C-alpha cells in the first residue's frame, strides 16, 4: 500500500472502535518514518530507532533508512514480546510501514 491509501485512517478508526467496545489490545507502530499518528501507540519504533539518524549514520536514502531501522528494531523484538505478554489483552494491532495493517485477536 502506498502513501495516501488510508492505512492511518483505517487504524485510527479501528483503535477508536476497540476503545469504544472496551476491547483491550496493543497498538504497535512499526513505521519509523511516520511524522504523527492520530492515535496512541503502546509501542512505537520511533521511541527506539531514530530514522533520520540511521539514514545519516549509514549513508542511506529513505528506503534504506526505513529497512535498516526495521532491522535494528527487530533485534529488540524480544523486549517487545515480553512487554506485550506482561499485560493482558484481547488483540494486537500493528501499523507497519507501507503495507496493510496487521490485526491479531
Amino acid at each position: 500500500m502506498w502513501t495516501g491509501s488510508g492505512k492511518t485512517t483505517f487504524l485510527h478508526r479501528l483503535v477508536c472502535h476497540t476503545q469504544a467496545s472496551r476491547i483491550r489490545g496493543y497498538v504497535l507502530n512499526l513505521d519509523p518514518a511516520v511524522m504523527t499518528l492520530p492515535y496512541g501507540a503502546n509501542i512505537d519504533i520511533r521511541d527506539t530507532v531514530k530514522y533520520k539518524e540511521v539514514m545519516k549514520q549509514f549513508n542511506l536514502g529513505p528506503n534504506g533508512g526505513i529497512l535498516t531501522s526495521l532491522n535494528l528494531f527487530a533485534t529488540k523484538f524480544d523486549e517487545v514480546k515480553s512487554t506485550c505478554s506482561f499485560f493482558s489483552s484481547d488483540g494486537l494491532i500493528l501499523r507497519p510501514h507501507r503495507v496493510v495493517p496487521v490485526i491479531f485477536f
Side-chain angles (χ1 to χ4, degrees):
M1 297 187 78
W2 308 107
T3 303
S5 62
K7 297 179 301 293
T8 300
T9 301
F10 170 73
L11 279 179
H12 183 224
R13 289 184 180 163
L14 181 63
V15 168
C16 289
H17 170 73
T18 57
Q19 290 172 345
S21 301
R22 300 211 190 285
I23 298 171
R24 296 168 299 162
Y26 286 95
V27 178
L28 277 67
N29 174 44
L30 299 178
D31 184 350
V34 70
M35 298 298 265
T36 60
L37 293 172
Y39 49 85
N42 299 94
I43 297 174
D44 194 332
I45 189 174
R46 298 172 302 167
D47 295 336
T48 306
V49 179
K50 305 300 181 206
Y51 162 71
K52 295 282 187 179
E53 291 176 18
V54 169
M55 284 178 56
K56 287 180 186 176
Q57 180 180 355
F58 296 101
N59 195 27
L60 300 168
N63 290 334
I66 289 167
L67 289 175
T68 303
S69 295
L70 290 167
N71 284 333
L72 292 169
F73 187 72
T75 65
K76 299 175 185 271
F77 212 74
D78 283 337
E79 295 173 39
V80 173
K81 286 185 349 187
S82 67
T83 300
C84 290
S85 64
F86 181 73
F87 298 101
S88 174
S89 72
D90 297 323
L92 173 67
I93 301 171
L94 301 176
R95 198 273 184 214
H97 176 73
R98 293 188 185 184
V99 295
V100 177
V102 182
I103 304 154
F104 299 101
F105 283 98

